[in-house]
Structures are given as C-alpha cells and as structure tokens.
Amino acid sequence: MKHIDYEEFAKHFYYDETSPSFLRWRISKGTRKAHDIAGTPSGNGYYMVGFNRKSYLAHRIIYCIMNGGIDDTLVIDHKDRVKSNNNIWNLQAVTQAENMTNRTRQV
C-alpha cells in the first residue's frame, strides 16, 4: 500500500457526500479548481485520484482524512461490497485476511 500522510492529504482534499467519489479538491492547481471532484472511476470499479504523480484509491484517502490517519498495513473494506460507495460510514479498516473473508459474505 502507498503511504498516505494525513497532514498532506488533509491539506489538499476534503470529504463531500455530494461528490460522486465522495472527495473534492481543497485548493486550485493548474486546470484543477478548488471544490472540483477529486478522482475518476477506474475499470475495476474504484475511484482513483492522481496526486503528486502517483495514483491513490479515493477510499483510502477518505478513510485517512476522516480518521486522522491510516495504518499502512491495513486495507479499506467497503461494507456493502460496492466499490464506488465511498461514504465514510461504508468504509472500515481491516487486515487483508479479513477483507478476503468479507468478499464472500453477502450483505
């Protein structure tokens, strides 16, 4: 997992349930304006965000900024199994083993 630094990411992003990705840019840079939607859907159903020449999963950024950080050894599980539903109430930090177990469980 890529490290997500709370201070750095909280400076550039904020959580917003009106955004399709549930994430928006906090500041303008280049063609991107403050309050624009952060992230685009990827081919696998997750929202991806380009930041500092790297790609990040939007749900990891959201979990980090809403919880004051994230343990790099944990993955973020979508409780309802919907990869694009990045509502903070739908996200939980779990081990990879727990996440694999949850994949087979029906909600």
Side-chain angles (χ1 to χ4, degrees), residues 41-60:
S42 67
N44 63 5
Y46 293 107
Y47 275 89
M48 299 298 295
V49 178
F51 180 67
N52 286 344
R53 299 180 190 251
K54 293 182 183 173
S55 292
Y56 294 88
L57 292 162
H59 59 275
R60 286 189 66 81

Side-chain angles (χ1 to χ4, degrees), residues 15-31:
Y15 176 76
D16 180 10
E17 292 180 7
T18 67
S19 167
S21 67
F22 290 78
L23 197 61
R24 291 191 184 270
W25 293 99
R26 194 175 289 283
I27 57 176
S28 298
K29 183 177 180 182
T31 59

Side-chain angles (χ1 to χ4, degrees), residues 34-45:
H35 314 294
D36 280 354
I37 296 166
T40 56
S42 67
N44 63 5

Side-chain angles (χ1 to χ4, degrees), residues 42-107:
S42 67
N44 63 5
Y46 293 107
Y47 275 89
M48 299 298 295
V49 178
F51 180 67
N52 286 344
R53 299 180 190 251
K54 293 182 183 173
S55 292
Y56 294 88
L57 292 162
H59 59 275
R60 286 189 66 81
I61 296 171
I62 290 167
Y63 187 89
C64 176
I65 65 176
M66 296 299 287
N67 289 285
I70 184 172
D71 182 330
D72 292 342
T73 65
L74 299 177
V75 297
I76 303 304
D77 181 41
H78 290 81
K79 295 176 189 176
D80 68 359
R81 322 288 358 120
V82 178
K83 296 174 182 179
S84 61
N85 181 3
N86 293 327
N87 187 302
I88 190 61
W89 305 113
N90 190 45
L91 304 177
Q92 62 183 349
V94 297
T95 65
Q96 183 63 40
E98 290 170 319
N99 192 44
M100 295 306 288
T101 301
N102 291 345
R103 287 174 96 179
T104 59
R105 216 175 1 145
Q106 296 296 319
V107 176

